[in-house]
Amino acid sequence: MDRRNEAAQSREGLLRSYERGERAPMRKSLENAYRSESESDIDATEFLDRDPLNEQSQPTVEAYGPSKQLASIRRSFARRSKCLCTILTILIIFWSILAGGGFFLYKKAPKDGLSPPWYPTPPGGTSSKWQDSYKKAQALVEKMTLAEKVNITTGTGWQMGLAVGNTGPAIHVGFPGLALQDGPLGLRFADNATAFPAGITVGATWNKELMYLRGKAHGMEARLKGVNVLLGPCVGPLGRMPAGGRNWEGFGADPVLQGIAGAQTIKGIQEEGIIATIKHFVGNEQEHFRQSWEWGLPYAISSNIDDRTLHEMYGWPFGDAVKAGVGSVMCSYQMVNNSYSCGNSKLLNGILKDELGFQGFVQSDWLAQRSGVASALSGLDMSMPGDGLMWARGQSLWGPELSKAVLNGSLPVSRLNDMATRVVAAWYQMGQDDKSKFDGKGPNFSSWTNDEMGVINPGSPDDHDQKVVNKFINVQGSGDQAHSIIARAVATEGIVLLKNEGILPLSKDGWPTNENHEINMRVGIFGEDSGAGRGPNVCPDRGCNQGTLGSGWGSGAVEFPYLITPADALRQAFNKERVYVTDFPTNDPPFKTAPIILKDQDVCIVFVNADSGEGYMAFDGIRGDRNDLLTQKGGEGLIVKVASGCGDGEGSTIVVIHSVGPVTVEGWVDLPGVKAVVMANLPGQESGHAIADILLGIVNPSGKLPYTIGRSLDDYGPGAKIQYYPNGAIPQQNFSEGLYIDYRHFDKYGIDPRYEFGFGLSYTSFEYSNLVVTEVLPKSALPAARPSGIDPPQYDDKIPDVNEAILPSGFKKLKKFVYPYISKTSDIKKGTYPYPKGYDIKQTPSEAGGDEGGNPDLWTTYATVSMDIKNTGSVIGKEVIQLYLGFDKVEGEAKEIDFPRSVLRQFEKVEVKIDEKQTVHFDLTRRDLSYWDVVRQNWVMPTEGSITIKVGASSRNMKLTGWY
């Protein structure tokens, strides 16, 4: 079976499939704007001047042309009558109106980005934790030719290799090509691998150990499949918009929850020797307009984020990831403050590499690189998948263009050396030079076919060399080491009990022993989401909502090795001699023609869902981002019918929701028949087992909401709404709500949520007591002085001989494959090449920096907190103790500093036996106790007044209060 059609529709915005030997259909207007058919070699420095944000080369309507839709209309109606031309004009006007006037606003694109320049790129190798790896990397890179350095920093092109991303090797020094593979919840396109629960389910567990174990199992599977770099975990989007299409890939709508979960996942992955990739840096909060041309506009949307919000919200979890030693960071598609993220020097050089002290390499999202030299100077280290501005053309912004840029002096040799060294150092840091664990042969599976035999480079029409590409190695573990055990534990603990009027847990034996009934208990299961549908893998990249929902769709989805459905698991879990189970896996049961199927039930369990995913796919009118917060496919109507008619009005209804994020429940949650509501999130392959464990009380529910469930979308505020229509040539999205998203917004405006952030019921009860706050160090406004760190590698930065990049004699090139070679010495055009505006400004290193994760003092413990938790109920259970901070009003240099009412800072999950009391401890770091001061450009701890410490069971259920 050929996976190319599936893959070509996927991986961050490839909208059309193509067959080998046939050019992938692309938008001609964009294609012509940058390179004509006759242009075989454009000097890389020319792309600096062609950066869409450079004022010297602003695109015009003539240069870009209309969208693909308009181009198609024009071709269809060319040389037709004046009448048809009139119709065409009307269609153009109509399209332009629908697009918010974007077509006529192309000329009004901002000439300059609003993000300040920050050059040059800080070199890697300044952290002692990476010292040995950088020494080894330096020794290797010093021996590399120019072509080899370019080879390991440029992808080979889409479908040029067995993984979704592949780099070339440095053969003469023994450095292999790297295989990069999606994704955040399993190995995309792989066989015999685990489909773990999604990130949002992991966040709902609030269990640090499970976060780590899931990451470790994931990393082990990647290693055994021959992968070098995992494209996960995901902490961006943060969840600013509850209907955001990819929120489910992350861990929840709070930076601390995201940061801790991300760090634990990274720890697990990298302990297995795999380079983890934290993504997407930063501000990619919606799917609409995330890429150039994907939505008919020449530019991506700009996320306009103020400095404090960037640090305290969207950048916070990336700080945790860097502190955890993450090897790779993926920059996002969209712009930040009107500069593309993968070419934003302030983001990559200033914040990520200087302030956060990131030592690994920055890779682009697939085709998120929008310039050549400019992106290299801005801090990009690896171009993925290697193709340039267009998919599957083999015309890279780097590759041979990067070689030319170094040879003509437009890109400093020092920058290329740092790029290559960062990649090699990450390889050494994870121990991938250990041949007992990594054989250097690359993946033992193909992303492009399910057949045993295939070609290595199916994207090239020249590759006809059939080889074994799928070895079908099972990496799921077995026995008590089976990864399904971890998947089931995460899925189970990620279930949140929202409502329970005494009906749960059900007994596997039906009626309670103290009740007398003449007949067995009758349980009816309703809803398409309870069953198998047409199978879990029927749609490419899980791009349809059918059957039970175990995952969202897109590049973050995987092939299910199996999917246990709720109906199957419940039928097996109930005692068949005492419980009669019938299931109706449809959202439209024949209630009118066969009313007995509803009336003849004692308990009804309704399964509904809400799906979303990446914006390159659409299903049932949903393209990426959800259109609302309701259940889908008539779910609400099904709930109302079942709750009203179950047992002829005498039965009890339990509602189970599988969802990518918050779902509003106001239309049915207060119906008398609805006795329980369960949010099961996205449970992965062990779905049915997990829900059966909870409903039957085999496991006490302990999940907590990783987001707020409001009563309506309006409750979340104006900034929480997807921008479905462009408001200019570059759609502008202002994050004007600042720090106030999700529960922070609800707190600020006194809005009563239906179920608050951190909420979740249990089958037992807990008592909180004895809060003790201990000062470890006295308050001080600013962290200690930035440490100097160690010296980075030093190289001879002389421009190499041109022969190092010349195509070797007799070398046969594959079409569309990205090589580092140039054809002839005359390709090198000498001249004076301008650097970006602001390149000559000397930057002062940030006082907030100094090591991985920032200034080491930010991670120093300044206060400890302890409290006691006691199980006062009748069953063993786990409780998530959540610690929130509140700041007194603080006077800044210009105005009063605003703070949310409460911000999550720490959490712990503990298992407590009946009548047992445990003491739980928390450490509060300087960073926890500080805010970002935009004037002093540092983390500042308020020294006047007290910092309030609140401990409780949710963001709205504080049990204990103390002060520091």
Side-chain angles (χ1 to χ4, degrees):
M1 178 181 177
D2 196 343
R3 282 206 193 106
R4 279 177 290 158
N5 288 339
E6 176 176 338
Q9 297 171 39
S10 55
R11 191 54 232 159
E12 314 291 7
L14 185 55
L15 300 179
R16 295 288 185 270
S17 64
Y18 70 101
E19 295 297 329
R20 184 157 40 121
E22 177 184 338
R23 179 170 141 182
M26 304 302 292
R27 293 178 172 86
K28 291 293 293 183
S29 52
L30 176 62
E31 185 178 307
N32 293 338
Y34 283 93
R35 180 172 291 193
S36 70
E37 293 292 338
S38 62
E39 285 182 292
S40 58
D41 292 299
I42 288 185
D43 190 89
T45 54
E46 293 185 45
F47 285 104
L48 176 62
D49 297 328
R50 295 179 182 210
D51 187 333
L53 293 178
N54 189 295
E55 62 181 326
Q56 297 177 359
S57 63
Q58 281 304 296
T60 64
V61 174
E62 292 76 24
Y64 275 102
S67 71
K68 182 179 179 181
Q69 295 94 322
L70 286 179
S72 176
I73 292 173
R74 284 182 173 174
R75 287 192 295 269
S76 299
F77 285 88
R79 297 180 297 276
R80 298 292 179 89
S81 66
K82 291 183 179 179
C83 179
L84 291 179
C85 291
T86 302
I87 294 174
L88 173 62
T89 302
I90 293 172
L91 289 174
I92 293 173
I93 294 172
F94 177 70
W95 180 88
S96 301
I97 292 172
L98 288 179
F103 176 66
F104 294 110
L105 291 172
Y106 286 178
K107 289 184 177 180
K108 298 181 180 180
K111 290 186 176 181
D112 294 295
L114 303 177
S115 193
W118 208 107
Y119 300 100
T121 302
T126 56
S127 171
S128 59
K129 301 182 189 72
W130 286 65
Q131 187 172 16
D132 291 343
S133 296
Y134 266 89
K135 285 182 178 179
K136 295 175 183 177
Q138 179 181 6
L140 203 67
V141 172
E142 283 178 333
K143 300 175 185 177
M144 289 184 185
T145 64
L146 170 60
E148 288 179 317
K149 295 174 187 177
V150 172
N151 225 22
I152 68 172
T153 55
T154 305
T156 56
W158 182 243
Q159 296 190 359
M160 299 298 181
L162 296 177
V164 296
N166 307 271
T167 62
I171 295 175
H172 297 101
V173 297
F175 187 78
L178 302 183
L180 298 83
Q181 195 74 10
D182 297 304
L185 62 76
L187 292 175
R188 186 185 182 200
F189 295 146
D191 58 87
N192 293 303
T194 306
F196 291 99
I200 199 68
T201 312
V202 178
T205 71
W206 295 68
N207 187 322
K208 296 177 184 177
E209 182 183 14
L210 285 180
M211 294 168 181
Y212 159 75
L213 290 174
R214 172 180 172 270
K216 189 172 179 64
H218 192 182
M220 180 183 295
E221 293 194 1
R223 176 170 57 80
L224 295 175
K225 283 289 189 180
V227 171
N228 300 96
V229 184
L230 262 181
L231 304 180
C234 176
V235 296
L238 179 63
R240 174 182 185 248
M241 301 166 179
R246 297 182 76 180
N247 291 351
W248 58 272
E249 294 186 33
F251 304 102
D254 179 85
V256 169
L257 179 57
Q258 288 261 27
I260 291 174
Q264 290 295 324
T265 303
I266 290 164
K267 178 183 176 183
I269 291 171
Q270 296 193 162
E271 279 188 5
E272 288 295 323
I274 298 298
I275 300 170
T277 303
I278 197 73
K279 63 181 187 180
H280 306 84
F281 192 68
V282 64
N284 186 181
E285 293 294 313
Q286 70 168 51
E287 291 301 285
H288 281 70
F289 316 120
R290 64 173 186 154
Q291 286 194 76
S292 305
W293 292 112
E294 188 178 43
W295 300 82
L297 295 175
Y299 298 111
I301 196 170
S302 176
S303 299
N304 302 323
I305 311 173
D306 69 85
D307 189 30
R308 185 181 175 197
T309 300
L310 181 63
H311 280 81
E312 293 189 30
M313 296 293 290
Y314 302 94
W316 180 287
F318 289 92
D320 287 278
V322 175
K323 179 65 176 177
V326 71
S328 177
V329 171
M330 181 188 289
C331 49
S332 54
Y333 279 118
Q334 90 302 329
M335 301 184 194
V336 174
N337 298 336
N338 285 287
S339 295
Y340 278 105
S341 300
C342 290
N344 189 312
S345 63
K346 174 62 177 177
L347 280 181
L348 304 186
N349 291 338
I351 294 178
L352 182 60
K353 292 185 174 180
D354 175 60
E355 186 183 308
L356 292 181
F358 175 57
Q359 301 296 304
F361 61 91
V362 178
Q363 59 169 289
S364 70
D365 207 336
W366 270 228
L367 254 66
Q369 180 189 21
R370 307 310 297 169
S371 60
V373 169
S375 61
L377 294 175
S378 296
L380 185 66
D381 301 308
M382 181 183 288
S383 171
M384 276 290 135
D387 302 293
L389 297 168
M390 297 157 284
W391 284 94
R393 289 289 304 277
Q395 295 180 331
S396 182
L397 291 165
W398 282 2
E401 312 302 337
L402 194 58
S403 297
K404 294 176 191 177
V406 171
L407 291 170
N408 67 26
S410 58
L411 181 73
V413 178
S414 59
R415 177 76 268 263
L416 179 62
N417 284 337
D418 178 55
M419 291 158 58
T421 305
R422 284 175 174 271
V423 172
V424 177
W427 183 77
Y428 276 120
Q429 185 75 356
M430 305 312 152
Q432 293 192 10
D433 57 323
D434 183 348
K435 293 184 179 180
S436 67
K437 293 184 178 180
F438 296 88
D439 59 15
K441 296 179 181 179
N444 51 45
F445 70 99
S446 172
S447 298
W448 319 120
T449 179
N450 289 329
D451 298 333
E452 181 180 9
M453 303 298 293
V455 298
I456 302 295
N457 307 293
S460 174
D462 294 342
D463 192 348
H464 306 291
D465 187 11
Q466 292 281 323
K467 296 181 178 180
V468 174
V469 294
N470 280 310
K471 298 182 179 179
F472 307 111
I473 295 174
N474 192 327
V475 297
Q476 300 169 85
S478 60
D480 59 3
Q481 299 300 313
H483 297 160
S484 59
I485 298 173
I486 297 169
R488 182 170 178 170
V490 173
T492 305
E493 289 202 24
I495 292 174
V496 184
L497 180 60
L498 298 177
K499 178 181 179 179
N500 185 20
E501 295 185 353
I503 188 174
L504 294 178
L506 300 171
S507 170
K508 70 180 180 64
D509 294 320
W511 301 113
T513 55
N514 62 343
E515 296 183 15
N516 294 318
H517 294 270
E518 295 181 358
I519 61 174
N520 289 347
M521 178 184 280
R522 297 160 300 180
V523 175
I525 301 172
F526 299 90
E528 181 183 325
D529 186 71
S530 69
R534 292 177 289 143
N537 299 322
V538 67
C539 296
D541 282 342
R542 316 298 71 80
C544 60
N545 185 355
Q546 62 84 42
T548 192
L549 185 66
S551 164
W553 72 65
S555 64
V558 299
E559 308 292 312
F560 281 90
Y562 61 84
L563 176 54
I564 304 297
T565 70
D568 285 344
L570 287 167
R571 278 197 303 268
Q572 292 297 319
F574 280 112
N575 182 342
K576 296 178 178 62
E577 295 182 358
R578 306 193 63 175
V579 180
Y580 182 65
V581 179
T582 54
D583 65 287
F584 308 91
T586 172
N587 283 8
D588 190 23
F591 293 140
K592 291 184 179 179
T593 58
I596 193 172
I597 67 173
L598 184 56
K599 293 181 179 181
D600 191 29
Q601 306 296 339
D602 299 302
V603 174
C604 297
I605 308 174
V606 187
F607 287 84
V608 294
N609 65 36
D611 198 5
S612 70
E614 207 165 348
Y616 65 84
M617 303 182 82
F619 177 76
D620 202 19
I622 299 168
R623 185 172 177 189
D625 307 305
R626 284 188 284 167
N627 299 329
D628 51 48
L629 298 184
L630 300 173
T631 59
Q632 295 166 4
K633 305 186 75 172
E636 287 217 350
L638 176 65
I639 294 170
V640 172
K641 289 177 182 177
V642 173
S644 302
C646 182
D648 209 11
E650 299 297 323
S652 298
T653 297
I654 301 165
V655 179
V656 179
I657 307 170
H658 289 120
S659 178
V660 291
V663 170
T664 52
V665 299
E666 298 308 299
W668 50 266
V669 72
D670 290 325
L671 292 174
V674 175
K675 302 301 184 183
V677 180
V678 177
M679 176 61 76
N681 295 296
L682 297 175
Q685 68 186 38
E686 290 288 323
S687 173
H689 287 152
I691 197 64
D693 285 347
I694 293 297
L695 295 186
L696 272 66
I698 299 168
V699 177
N700 191 345
S702 62
K704 302 280 187 173
L705 285 177
Y707 44 70
T708 297
I709 296 180
R711 297 176 186 272
S712 70
L713 178 58
D714 288 338
D715 282 356
Y716 294 84
K721 296 181 178 180
I722 301 294
Q723 185 172 319
Y724 295 106
Y725 301 99
N727 55 8
I730 301 178
Q732 300 294 306
Q733 190 167 74
N734 299 321
F735 287 40
S736 54
E737 73 286 342
L739 308 179
Y740 295 97
I741 71 167
D742 201 79
Y743 70 93
R744 300 162 180 237
H745 168 83
F746 282 77
D747 289 349
K748 180 179 177 67
Y749 294 101
I751 301 170
D752 184 27
R754 171 58 73 167
Y755 301 111
E756 71 270 18
F757 175 84
F759 174 82
L761 299 175
S762 171
Y763 296 152
T764 190
S765 57
F766 298 95
E767 179 182 85
Y768 289 62
S769 65
N770 196 27
L771 180 71
V772 177
V773 179
T774 303
E775 178 184 291
V776 177
L777 293 171
K779 293 178 182 176
S780 59
L782 295 171
R786 171 178 174 144
S788 58
I790 62 176
D791 292 332
Q794 299 293 321
Y795 295 94
D796 176 3
D797 288 331
K798 179 182 177 181
I799 294 177
D801 189 286
V802 67
N803 290 317
E804 290 190 20
I806 293 292
L807 181 70
S809 177
F811 187 91
K812 184 179 180 180
K813 296 171 67 175
L814 290 175
K815 288 181 180 178
K816 299 185 180 181
F817 196 99
V818 177
Y819 297 98
Y821 304 117
I822 62 175
S823 300
K824 50 189 180 301
T825 57
S826 59
D827 289 341
I828 309 307
K829 303 172 185 177
K830 298 295 183 180
T832 302
Y833 296 94
Y835 281 170
K837 183 178 179 181
Y839 192 85
D840 56 351
I841 298 174
K842 182 175 177 58
Q843 298 291 340
T844 302
S846 171
E847 281 299 309
D851 203 352
E852 285 185 290
N855 190 316
D857 193 23
L858 294 173
W859 301 91
T860 300
T861 297
Y862 274 71
T864 61
V865 179
S866 66
M867 52 79 62
D868 293 335
I869 185 79
K870 181 179 179 180
N871 186 340
T872 56
S874 58
V875 294
I876 187 172
K878 293 181 180 180
E879 175 70 331
V880 179
I881 300 100
Q882 303 163 44
L883 188 153
Y884 295 80
L885 295 185
F887 293 86
D888 290 342
K889 293 182 179 179
V890 178
E891 297 295 329
E893 295 190 16
K895 60 181 181 179
E896 184 180 288
I897 306 300
D898 184 35
F899 293 101
R901 188 177 82 181
S902 297
V903 292
L904 180 70
R905 281 296 180 259
Q906 295 289 338
F907 61 86
E908 291 292 340
K909 189 170 195 176
V910 294
E911 184 174 70
V912 191
K913 299 175 182 177
I914 302 169
D915 291 330
E916 180 188 11
K917 179 185 289 186
Q918 289 189 25
T919 300
V920 180
H921 299 272
F922 300 94
D923 291 333
L924 292 175
T925 66
R926 172 180 282 278
R927 187 177 74 143
D928 291 331
L929 299 163
S930 300
Y931 69 96
W932 180 257
D933 191 307
V934 298
V935 176
R936 285 180 275 191
Q937 287 294 290
N938 210 334
W939 292 96
V940 174
M941 183 189 298
T943 55
E944 300 295 327
S946 299
I947 298 174
T948 303
I949 297 169
K950 296 172 277 189
V951 175
S954 76
S955 62
R956 288 285 180 98
N957 186 10
M958 303 301 178
K959 304 287 190 178
L960 305 169
T961 303
W963 293 268
Y964 168 67

